[in-house]
Amino acid sequence: MEQRNLGKSGLLVSVVGIGCNNFGGRIDFDASKAVIHKALDLGITLFDTADTYGNRGGSETILGQVLGGERKNIVLATKFGWDMDDAGKMKGASRRYIMSAVQASLKRLKTDYIDLYQLHKPDPRTPIEETLRTLNDLVRMGMVRYIGCSNLPAWQVSDAYWTARSLGLEGFASCQDEYSLLVRDVERELVPAIERYQMGLLPYFPLASGLLSGKYRKDAPMPEDARLTKNQNLAKGVLTERNWQIVEQLRAFCEARGHSLLELAFSWLAAKPVVSSVIAGATKPEQLEQNVQAVNWKLTPEELAEVEHIVTA
């Protein structure tokens, strides 16, 4: 498994990471355990979770129970910021909340440090200086190794960078945001900011909620138990006429070269210099095998140009 630096930091992560959002939610303990063990067998080192995953705490708890001695061999990433209670009190990026959230995550994960601790979403009520000073303290105390952010607009990423630099604080090493062949909003402002500040990009939803997996066809019945089959609200936003047209052209592009749509989705992202690791969830071990195999397709400049023409035409 290829290892890449997380931005300009010295932290190495596998080019394919595993998103642990399904653990304790869509799949139970035993199914999660099978996926975790397969990830370890395949050489995946980046395990990305969040305190809210798995019905608030379930994903972290399962990871803590399953990893055991393998904890030291992986990069364990988690996040804070989303609501952890129905009253709306356990959330945000204030010093008070972060200090309690990190302790809770460490306890669930059964570890004394987190490799990458990420702000999960913006907190409009807390100054970024307060958030960064708190995270800087966690790094100094050894509870956290690196810090990152997720779902922040480019201007907030820039604000955080210059705040950290001017105050001599630990800065965000990475941004985790939605990015795929079909969802490219980050390219307008966020990617240029990430490149300017030498951060690493961790794309999630690389398969556009499954549409790029290859299992969906416009004129065929929807596959049973698939995400877009079960979630009609999600399907309305993904299964658009424009997306269908792009997907069918990309499918033809792949088939002409003896590859799959899924391989293209991963390899296209992996070809981006700004991408450190492609984060993808899995509910079955065989899905991880497909994800890891997918990045072996090294797209040529000519192929990348043709894909760009298909997607942007």
Side-chain angles (χ1 to χ4, degrees):
M1 174 72 70
E2 178 188 351
Q3 302 287 312
R4 296 182 177 181
N5 288 82
L6 185 67
K8 66 178 179 181
S9 79
L11 183 62
L12 294 177
V13 293
S14 53
V15 67
V16 175
I18 177 171
C20 304
N21 55 306
N22 293 315
F23 302 164
R26 293 182 67 195
I27 56 177
D28 61 16
F29 177 85
D30 289 336
S32 300
K33 182 178 180 180
V35 171
I36 292 169
H37 284 166
K38 175 56 70 171
L40 294 168
D41 291 342
L42 291 170
I44 292 175
T45 59
L46 179 57
F47 285 66
D48 180 77
T49 187
D51 53 9
T52 53
Y53 292 169
N55 299 315
R56 295 175 177 164
S59 176
E60 288 184 332
T61 299
I62 288 175
L63 283 166
Q65 293 172 340
V66 174
L67 286 172
E70 292 292 340
R71 162 66 187 98
K72 64 182 181 296
N73 299 320
I74 68 162
V75 173
L76 187 55
T78 192
K79 312 180 198 71
F80 68 93
W82 282 100
D83 294 33
M84 284 293 284
D85 68 344
D86 293 332
K89 295 181 179 180
M90 298 173 63
K91 66 176 182 178
S94 67
R95 172 175 289 273
R96 182 185 185 206
Y97 180 66
I98 293 174
M99 297 305 289
S100 63
V102 71
Q103 292 285 1
S105 286
L106 288 169
K107 183 177 180 180
R108 287 188 292 265
L109 290 166
K110 294 186 177 181
T111 184
D112 55 3
Y113 69 96
I114 294 166
D115 292 295
L116 179 62
Y117 199 40
Q118 303 159 99
L119 171 61
H120 207 163
K121 67 170 185 174
D123 177 6
R125 304 190 68 173
T126 302
I128 191 62
E129 179 181 340
E130 178 177 337
T131 301
L132 290 172
R133 284 191 183 278
T134 307
L135 293 173
N136 187 76
D137 289 344
L138 294 181
V139 173
R140 290 182 177 275
M141 288 187 288
M143 299 166 70
V144 170
R145 299 292 191 257
Y146 298 86
I147 61 174
C149 60
S150 180
N151 302 311
L152 266 61
W155 74 266
Q156 289 187 325
V157 171
S158 182
D159 185 30
Y161 172 83
W162 288 108
T163 299
R165 182 169 178 175
S166 63
L167 298 176
L169 303 174
E170 191 79 16
F172 292 137
S174 60
C175 293
Q176 185 173 157
D177 293 85
E178 182 174 4
Y179 190 23
S180 70
L181 279 161
L182 299 178
V183 181
R184 302 176 61 176
D185 298 345
V186 297
E187 293 179 343
R188 288 197 295 268
E189 296 181 351
L190 186 61
V191 167
I194 292 172
E195 292 173 335
R196 171 67 177 84
Y197 305 133
Q198 296 179 279
M199 303 167 71
L201 177 59
L202 302 174
Y204 66 80
F205 290 172
L207 299 178
S209 298
L211 186 54
L212 294 172
S213 66
K215 60 186 176 183
Y216 297 95
R217 289 184 178 272
K218 183 179 180 181
D219 298 320
M222 296 284 284
E224 295 182 7
D225 297 325
R227 178 179 296 178
L228 294 177
T229 304
K230 289 184 173 182
N231 192 330
Q232 291 300 309
N233 289 330
L234 178 63
K236 289 179 181 178
V238 176
L239 302 180
T240 64
E241 186 61 33
R242 175 183 176 275
N243 282 350
W244 278 124
Q245 291 178 359
I246 292 174
V247 166
E248 291 310 312
Q249 291 182 66
L250 291 176
R251 193 193 307 276
F253 171 88
C254 295
E255 291 176 350
R257 290 161 177 78
H259 289 283
S260 68
L261 194 57
L262 183 143
E263 288 178 290
L264 177 62
F266 275 83
S267 295
W268 181 80
L269 284 171
K272 300 288 184 181
V274 72
V275 171
S276 297
S277 180
V278 182
I279 305 294
T283 56
K284 300 176 182 179
E286 51 266 31
Q287 291 175 324
L288 286 178
E289 294 178 342
Q290 294 173 350
N291 296 347
V292 170
Q293 179 65 30
V295 295
N296 290 332
W297 184 8
K298 305 303 180 184
L299 293 157
T300 67
E302 293 75 19
E303 288 173 329
L304 287 169
E306 186 171 343
V307 169
E308 188 70 14
H309 176 73
I310 292 172
V311 175
T312 59

